[in-house]
Amino acid sequence: MIKTTFQLLLLTSFTASVVHADTLKINGSTTVNLPAAEAAEILRAEKKMDIQVDIQGGSSGGISMLGEGLVQVGMASKHVNEEDRAKFPKCEFKEIHIGEDAVALIVSADVWEGGVKSITKEQVKGIYEGATTNWKQLGGPDKRIAFFNKEPGRGTWEVFANWVYGDHKKAPQVSFPEVGGNEETRNKVASTRGALSQLSSSWADGKTVFALNIKAESGELIPPTNENIATKKYPLSRPLFLLTNGEPLGEAKTFVDFVLSERGQALVNKHGYLKLADLK
Amino acid sequence: MQRRFSFTRLFSYSFSALAAGTVVAMFVLLILQSLPVWQHEGLSFLTGTKWFYRQQQFGAAPMILGTMITAFTALLLAAPLGIGAAIFTSEFLHPRLRLTVKVVIELLAGVPSVIYGLLGVLFLRNWIYDLLTPFDPLSGDTLLTGAVLLAVMILPTVMTLADDALRGVPVIQRHAARGLGLNSSEVALHIALPQSVRGLLAALLLALGRALGEAIAVFLVVGRQDNQWPYRLLSMQPLIQSGQTITTKLASSETNIAYGYPLHWAAICGLALVLMVMVAGITLISASFSRRHVP
């Protein structure tokens, strides 16, 4: 009986691994997902490629699933760091730069209309560490600050923490309500009074959520415009990557090449990010 | 006596063994994988109120509390509705209509939980946010939102199992009661209900088990805020604040981060173990209730 069970187990695990062997699997950052999913759609239609794009766990999900060999292409809105490489020694992470994005600090309409249009790094730090809890302290309406923190492991969060604390590992551990993907973040900030969160600037539509200007020490207001992102004047920008294990091969290469082609780069631009040509 | 070889017996034995073996293997795996955190934290893994993974502090109490608060509140909301509906369908509705209603409600039980989650994000969050305005909640993401969503999700389970339990009361007893001059409400209240208490309890416990284990729907509306430990244990305050449950923690990005760090990974597996024990305990209790209830 045990032998039968064992054989059955073997049989089921074998069939499970055979199905969809030639699907190109992609996973990672919701930010990179926008152009990547559209590129995948075009390739499915034009080259009859079988591509599956997922957004489990954001950038670190993309890195770990590529590291474990569960996907062929990862998507990330942050660099693969030494720790990631140490965690997955068998994977030779290759970063393929496809564009640039900025992280905006977004607020809900009542805060924006209440007069808060800019924020300094010190003020952000105050909110993050719990010293500032009311918009009144920043010259806004008398309303508690409902701060939604991006989950740790998200590219957005790391860019934010690198800016405020120099290195995201130096950021204190805090307990705020957490948000994950961009869709969720925008939805929750838009529907909550006194809300603040970090969000990819291309998602800050200026209708339901509003991107604050960053107030530099000189007093200058810096909005997250394309020009400011390209010149690095806006301090919270980040590269967008496709990740592969070693040089991309086969279908993964077809996909990467398409995203780097003129049409693929136009998709990057279409979703509000800077394409590579804009950065030069 | 020589038994004849039977494929049916062979297959039923081997599949039962496979099922039982899987459960045992899961427990063993989770216990082994979570060993480092028990060595590191000891019992304070269960009683500690601070979870800061970068400082290697793993106290799961707020999540255990969050799980219990959402699940029990959900049960509290779903129980009267579900049992009430079951009394109606089993005692008062025409048998043919009863089946139609039951099928429709059982369909509800099959709706994928992520759909409930999305409806929760779209509507329930905002309704609860508006409803709680007098208490000035920080947002619509609260344990109460999670609990109400769970209540909707477990309602079909409660209703259909309670209906089965009530129908299990022998017809002859109803006839006897009617013969003694009781009207149909009295039969429902004094004959059917008391006779089916065990079955009803089993229905509630099974629903509770489902509420404890539900992840994605709650994930989207509960706020996922760590370390929410109330000043007073029995206050209502946690209900109107964001919180975290064991399942929402397991579904969060921390599971990705933990991979490769033995202690952090052990803490995540420890949470899974606690949840497994809770759900298994409740399932066992409910099984013991329903087994002794012979319709």
Side-chain angles (χ1 to χ4, degrees), chain A residues 38 52 64 144-145 159 165 174 252:
Chain A
E38 206 170 328
Q52 191 184 321
S64 65
R144 281 197 295 163
I145 298 174
V159 172
Y165 293 100
V174 292

Side-chain angles (χ1 to χ4, degrees), chain B residues 7-282:
Chain B
F7 270 110
T8 316
R9 191 178 298 122
L10 175 72
F11 276 113
S12 50
Y13 274 125
S14 48
F15 282 119
S16 309
L18 188 64
T22 312
V23 174
V24 173
M26 276 168 78
F27 268 108
V28 171
L29 186 80
L30 285 177
I31 290 169
L32 287 180
Q33 298 255 314
S34 65
L35 269 184
V37 81
W38 298 108
Q39 282 160 356
H40 178 79
E41 290 280 346
L43 267 187
S44 66
F45 179 67
L46 298 176
T47 56
T49 56
K50 290 277 176 269
W51 180 285
F52 289 123
Y53 70 89
R54 269 184 286 158
Q55 271 98 352
Q56 312 222 310
Q57 240 185 323
F58 301 103
M63 284 171 255
I64 298 174
L65 184 73
T67 302
M68 305 230 274
I69 289 180
T70 45
F72 279 102
T73 312
L75 193 65
L76 211 63
L77 296 171
L81 274 174
I83 293 181
I87 292 176
F88 176 68
T89 52
S90 72
E91 305 297 319
F92 296 99
L93 216 56
H94 187 273
R96 206 176 294 158
L97 256 176
R98 166 177 171 260
L99 273 186
T100 320
V101 173
K102 231 172 117 79
V103 166
V104 170
I105 287 184
E106 278 168 10
L107 277 180
L108 274 183
V111 175
S113 56
V114 68
I115 307 257
Y116 282 108
L118 288 175
L119 291 175
V121 169
L122 281 176
F123 302 109
L124 191 64
R125 269 188 81 246
N126 298 334
W127 291 339
I128 300 263
Y129 189 35
D130 291 340
L131 197 75
L132 288 178
T133 308
F135 302 100
D136 191 28
L138 213 46
S139 77
D141 295 318
T142 63
L143 287 183
L144 182 66
T145 323
V148 173
L149 196 60
L150 279 178
V152 176
M153 293 178 69
I154 61 174
L155 189 59
T157 313
V158 175
M159 187 264 163
T160 189
L161 291 178
D163 176 83
D164 289 342
L166 285 167
R167 291 310 298 175
V169 177
V171 178
I172 192 153
Q173 298 206 12
R174 292 168 209 265
H175 285 321
R178 291 306 289 269
L180 288 171
L182 273 65
N183 63 29
S184 51
S185 332
E186 286 164 340
V187 171
L189 216 60
H190 298 294
I191 306 296
L193 263 187
Q195 293 267 355
S196 56
V197 161
R198 277 182 176 285
L200 294 179
L201 273 178
L204 292 183
L205 285 172
L206 271 179
L208 183 65
R210 184 174 179 201
L212 283 174
E214 176 49 46
I216 294 305
V218 183
F219 184 79
L220 289 167
V221 298
V222 86
R224 280 124 69 195
Q225 182 167 10
D226 275 333
N227 303 323
Q228 287 283 77
W229 190 253
Y231 294 113
R232 281 179 300 130
L233 251 189
L234 290 175
S235 75
M236 298 289 279
Q237 180 205 16
L239 263 185
I240 62 164
Q241 289 180 341
S242 292
Q244 183 89 272
T245 70
I246 297 178
T247 51
T248 57
K249 188 57 150 186
L250 290 177
S252 80
S253 67
E254 251 195 70
T255 313
N256 279 317
I257 297 172
Y259 185 85
Y261 299 96
L263 185 58
H264 193 187
W265 181 251
I268 295 288
C269 289
L271 283 181
L273 183 66
V274 171
L275 184 68
M276 279 268 284
V277 169
M278 282 165 86
V279 175
I282 283 170

Side-chain angles (χ1 to χ4, degrees), chain A residues 201-218:
Chain A
S201 72
S202 60
W203 287 69
D205 52 16
K207 285 179 229 133
T208 55
V209 297
F210 301 84
L212 294 175
N213 298 305
I214 301 296
K215 195 172 186 181
E217 276 169 38
S218 61

